[in-house]
Amino acid sequence: MKRADECEYEDRRQKSRTQKLREKLAMLEDRIKELEGTEQSISGDASSSNTGSPDALDPGANNTLGDVDRNQISLDYTLPTTSAGTRSSSSSSSSSLLSMSGNPFASTMGMVWGDTDNINGVDEHAFDISPFTGMGMFLDMPHWDPSTPLPFENKKILLELFIAHRHQCWFFSDTTRLDTLSSGKSLVGVSEPHPALMNALYLLACHFSRSPYFSELEPTFLTRALREITVALDNQDRLVDVVQASSLLAIYLYANSRILEGYCHSFSAARLAVGLGLHQIQYADLGQPTNSSPSSDRSSPTGVMNLNTTSSPSSIASSPPKDQSELRERISTFWQVFMVDRCWSVANGLPVALPDGEHHQGRIKTPWPDAALDDGATGAGVFDPLGNSVYMPSLKAKAAALYERTFRLSSSAHPNWAEFTATSNALQRFLSSLPLFLGFEPWRNQAPFLDVELLTIHTIANVCTIHMNKNNLEMENLQAANYVLTLIRQLGQSDYEWLDPLISACWTTVAKLYLQILSLSNSPAAAGLPTFSVDQELDVIVNAMKVLSTFFPSAGEHARKIEQERTLILSSI
């Protein structure tokens, strides 16, 4: 592209994480053998305390190498633990904040400039190995030839990995089909997932595995998923699975900073979902026309939801759902598409693909995820989140709707005042309806050690507050930014792997607010906010992004841009 001056590269070949661990183990084993031989040749009264290796042991340790169990040393390097040590530092720095963690408006300006030691000292490469792969569970696997079928053991591991991380992909569909496949049982009465969807699942599982063994297979599964999507569209085969596959590919590409490719797949998923009528799933009685009133189901014991296939004359022909399970699958699929389209389009400054007009063919009528099965609420009130359910997918879909709407209003030169007021009121109701975020949960026995889904929702909601007060430094904005910083400070190293990749874009919005304050540090508008304090808060955000970039490269891009802008501002002060 004739932009060589923007390229960054290194001439030397990087060692993989597995190679580094093997080298450490080999070094320790050789050193132990050397010491064991020394002990045999030296008299029993010779002290072994002078032969310790400074590279192999903690410099602050008092015990001698001869007293250290060989298996324990190997275990220390094979299973790098982060849950206890890192959590203690994170918890200590945020213990004073836990009492206010559920309320973004409970903070005071005196707490904006808190301690940043717990994040500033974090090495973003200190925990490259996932807890899932820390035992080297993939090292002994035979090389897989992609021209042959994927072995069952590989399928099982990949499906389990994806299910564990599916919340980061906004995949809230029923996993019965996947659980059945991973158990080796045959699917009975349930359609098998399309190969396009399966390869998209495998692709993301390889990404989440943090294993060189599976990371090398990502290009293979990406190519297969793309090919299978084309085949499915040609044959009009299991198109709902194709919508899901395209959404998953979009998330993978967005998270890896392949923005235009991600937007292409997100746009395709959204338009296909509309063509299939997934945006207008309505309540109807069995045996009645599918365009019955949404409220007609509430008094009917036989009422079920069904697709309104007559909503658009250009809709793609599709068979009606066979049962409630398949219907819920379609509802979950639509909201997955909705969240990917709304959130990632905003994060990258791109127009949304799903319609949002008053025309009946584009109006969203699909019920909220699962919560609608209980109370009959429909998507018509997308920006009026008054439901009683605290079902996480429903809360996340509503947060995504507000995220896009508040950003669009803040970007308009002359926003509609009535729409602005309605959105502001809806945001306040949404914030007041959110469950409290409790922070570190000691009863969890494995990472993540806090509710990462609720943390993401709280983060998005407070970023919406910043959107609504764009280009000013009102107290409400600073309180929202302060609350997001308290959430970041409660993260331990082992939690980052489980965060939604979108959260880095949310942190960018907060960072830009601090950059705005920094640029006005000499003006009366920023009175009481010293430059060094703002700089500390930016350090917290940037370092959090760098840690997250270990798992999602897009976060590294966000950190780089924030640092560049901060350097320019500081050089002009």
Side-chain angles (χ1 to χ4, degrees), residues 314-566:
S314 61
S315 294
I316 300 172
S318 60
S319 58
K322 294 181 296 186
D323 50 32
Q324 288 286 89
S325 176
E326 188 172 325
L327 192 78
R328 287 193 295 270
E329 179 81 6
R330 298 189 184 191
I331 293 173
S332 297
T333 298
F334 170 75
W335 288 112
Q336 179 188 17
V337 171
F338 178 91
M339 289 184 279
V340 172
D341 175 55
R342 288 293 194 265
C343 291
W344 283 104
S345 294
V346 167
N348 294 289
L350 299 167
V352 297
L354 281 171
D356 189 28
E358 294 300 323
H359 193 276
H360 70 91
Q361 292 184 1
R363 192 175 302 149
I364 295 174
K365 301 178 181 179
T366 300
W368 292 114
D370 277 18
L373 295 175
D374 300 324
D375 58 23
T378 67
V382 165
F383 305 107
D384 186 25
L386 294 175
N388 295 323
S389 173
V390 293
Y391 183 59
M392 285 300 169
S394 181
L395 288 179
K396 204 166 185 179
K398 295 172 184 178
L402 286 166
Y403 182 63
E404 185 275 333
R405 175 61 64 90
T406 56
F407 175 81
R408 179 152 49 88
L409 287 173
S410 69
S411 303
S412 175
H414 304 287
N416 180 286
W417 181 249
E419 184 181 9
F420 184 91
T421 302
T423 304
S424 180
N425 292 337
L427 175 59
Q428 295 304 317
R429 290 195 297 270
F430 182 69
L431 281 166
S432 63
S433 70
L434 287 181
L436 295 179
F437 179 73
L438 302 177
F440 173 54
E441 299 174 350
W443 56 86
R444 293 177 180 251
N445 56 13
Q446 62 182 15
F449 293 96
L450 43 73
D451 191 336
V452 289
E453 280 290 83
L454 188 56
L455 181 142
T456 299
I457 294 170
H458 273 277
T459 300
I460 293 174
N462 281 275
V463 167
C464 290
T465 298
I466 298 175
H467 284 167
M468 294 298 289
N469 299 288
K470 188 178 180 181
N471 298 325
N472 62 61
L473 298 179
E474 292 186 5
M475 181 65 69
E476 191 175 8
N477 259 13
L478 297 175
Q479 288 174 333
N482 174 40
Y483 181 60
V484 173
L485 264 292
T486 67
L487 296 177
I488 294 176
R489 287 189 171 97
Q490 293 181 65
L491 289 169
Q493 290 183 3
S494 56
D495 297 323
Y496 279 85
E497 180 181 359
W498 304 90
L499 291 177
D500 192 314
L502 178 74
I503 203 167
S504 180
C506 295
W507 292 345
T508 300
T509 301
V510 178
K512 287 183 176 180
L513 175 65
Y514 286 122
L515 289 172
Q516 183 185 358
I517 297 173
L518 196 62
S519 65
L520 300 173
S521 59
N522 294 325
S523 70
L529 303 178
T531 300
F532 76 89
S533 297
V534 179
D535 213 33
Q536 283 184 343
E537 298 303 276
L538 285 170
D539 281 340
V540 173
I541 297 174
V542 169
N543 284 314
M545 288 177 174
K546 289 180 179 179
V547 175
L548 189 62
S549 69
T550 304
F551 310 103
F552 305 111
S554 59
E557 283 293 304
H558 293 149
R560 182 180 60 83
K561 292 177 181 178
I562 294 300
E563 287 188 308
Q564 286 179 347
E565 191 169 346
R566 175 168 59 169

